């Protein structure tokens, strides 16, 4: 099965964007335009890694290192009017895994997130505003940072685990947002009333939560685990 046919199993409207079409796209950040206008494959990849480093070298060092070693190709795609970058990454067992990173635009922030957005740690906002509107395994839309429109507001969900907690709840549900999902009921969440130095909660729908973890340490580790073998 060719790549596009494989992807259309998960996104029936997905298409690749040609370099010619790239020139006509509005609201495309200049950094991304410069990367995709590059015709030399080695230089193109170097520019991509340089952009990652400029945004989150400290926070996602392990992810960046894995991409540097194992990224086979990356291409611009469009799905229902939304542009994104498709990453083809080789896993440890030599399978090709497809990850998606949304292109940041001025319309990134949905109304439901506007109030909370300013209170999120600066490093998280920088990732979404300067690099990607989410970065995750494309088939499951999980095992990564979710797009802004899919960030989980904890107050909006019923959590059966609340009845089985061993200790008092350590977060405020109305001010807690799940920014990372593993696709199996696990979240890395930020309580915007208590997120000094990137303090995060590892939240499970069926297990005890872990509080006061470093957001990026957990995210970086989990993304690499997924990239190695989803």
């Amino acid at each position: 099965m060719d790549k596009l046919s494989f992807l259309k199993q998960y996104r029936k409207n997905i298409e690749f964007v040609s370099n010619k079409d790239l020139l006509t796209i509005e609201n495309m950040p200049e950094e991304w335009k410069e990367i995709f206008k590059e015709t030399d494959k080695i230089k193109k990849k170097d520019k991509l890694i340089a952009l990652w480093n400029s945004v989150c070298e400290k926070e996602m060092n392990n992810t960046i290192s894995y991409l540097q070693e194992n990224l086979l190709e990356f291409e611009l795609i469009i799905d229902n009017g939304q542009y994104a970058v498709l990453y083809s990454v080789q896993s440890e067992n030599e399978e090709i895994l497809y990850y998606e990173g949304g292109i940041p635009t001025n319309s990134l922030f949905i109304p439901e997130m506007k109030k909370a957005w300013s209170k999120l740690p600066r490093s998280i906002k920088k990732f979404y505003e300067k690099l990607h509107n989410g970065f995750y395994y494309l088939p499951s839309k999980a095992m990564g940072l979710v797009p802004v429109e899919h960030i989980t507001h904890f107050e909006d969900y019923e959590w059966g685990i609340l009845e089985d907690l061993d200790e008092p709840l350590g977060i405020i549900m109305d001010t807690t947002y799940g920014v990372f999902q593993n696709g199996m009921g696990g979240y890395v969440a930020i309580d915007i009333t208590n997120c000094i130095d990137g303090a995060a909660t590892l939240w499970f729908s069926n297990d005890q939560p872990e509080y006061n973890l470093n957001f990026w340490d957990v995210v970086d580790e989990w993304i690499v685990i997924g990239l190695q073998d989803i």
Side-chain angles (χ1 to χ4, degrees):
M1 185 184 297
D2 67 79
K3 186 188 296 187
L4 187 58
S5 297
F6 175 81
L7 296 172
K8 282 183 176 289
Q9 294 179 100
Y10 306 98
R11 306 279 190 79
K12 64 180 182 179
N13 296 317
I14 198 169
E15 298 290 348
F16 290 104
V17 179
S18 69
N19 286 347
K20 180 181 177 182
D21 291 336
L22 173 68
L23 301 175
T24 65
I25 299 173
E26 297 181 2
N27 297 324
M28 172 74 73
E30 284 302 318
E31 295 90 343
W32 280 112
K33 279 190 177 182
E34 287 302 313
I35 289 171
F36 280 109
K37 284 195 293 186
E38 179 58 63
T39 56
D40 183 284
K41 285 190 174 182
I42 294 176
K43 291 180 180 178
K44 184 179 178 183
K45 182 176 177 179
D46 286 345
K47 288 183 178 181
L48 173 75
I49 297 299
L51 179 58
W52 274 80
N53 279 326
S54 71
V55 174
C56 54
E57 181 177 16
K58 177 182 176 183
E59 293 82 3
M60 300 188 72
N61 178 62
N62 295 317
T63 298
I64 295 170
S65 294
Y66 194 88
L67 288 175
Q68 195 158 17
E69 292 294 323
N70 299 284
L71 179 62
L72 303 176
E73 188 177 22
F74 63 98
E75 301 151 282
L76 189 63
I77 55 175
I78 185 171
D79 180 17
N80 289 319
Q82 299 296 315
Y83 291 98
V85 181
L86 177 72
Y87 290 73
S88 302
V89 186
Q90 185 167 285
S91 69
E92 287 196 333
N93 61 4
E94 299 189 351
E95 287 187 44
I96 297 177
L97 304 178
Y98 298 111
Y99 272 69
E100 180 177 11
I103 294 291
T105 68
N106 294 333
S107 59
L108 179 66
F109 315 110
I110 59 173
E112 291 82 358
M113 281 298 297
K114 278 186 177 178
K115 184 183 293 186
W117 192 257
S118 64
K119 298 178 182 178
L120 285 171
R122 189 176 68 85
S123 60
I124 297 177
K125 291 186 290 184
K126 185 178 181 182
F127 183 94
Y128 279 84
E129 294 169 2
K130 301 297 183 183
L131 184 59
H132 282 310
N133 178 21
F135 179 75
Y136 47 88
Y137 182 53
L138 185 144
S140 66
K141 296 185 179 179
M143 207 56 188
L145 295 159
V146 299
V148 168
E149 57 270 25
H150 293 146
I151 287 176
T152 301
H153 184 198
F154 274 34
E155 182 70 13
D156 295 339
Y157 291 82
E158 296 288 336
W159 301 99
I161 189 65
L162 291 175
E163 300 174 2
D164 300 317
L165 294 180
D166 294 338
E167 300 175 356
L169 182 63
I171 54 176
I172 301 171
M173 304 302 272
D174 188 44
T175 55
T176 298
Y177 296 85
V179 183
F180 180 105
Q181 291 186 30
N182 72 353
M184 297 174 287
Y187 300 79
V188 185
I190 291 286
D191 182 348
I192 59 174
T193 63
N194 179 29
C195 56
I196 297 172
D197 297 326
T201 296
L202 190 53
W203 181 268
F204 300 97
S205 59
N206 59 357
D207 202 353
Q208 300 299 312
E210 297 179 39
Y211 301 111
N212 296 315
L213 302 176
N214 180 277
F215 176 85
W216 288 111
D217 286 352
V218 180
V219 167
D220 192 29
E221 180 181 354
W222 273 19
I223 287 181
V224 171
I225 289 171
L227 289 168
Q228 289 173 335
D229 187 11
I230 213 69

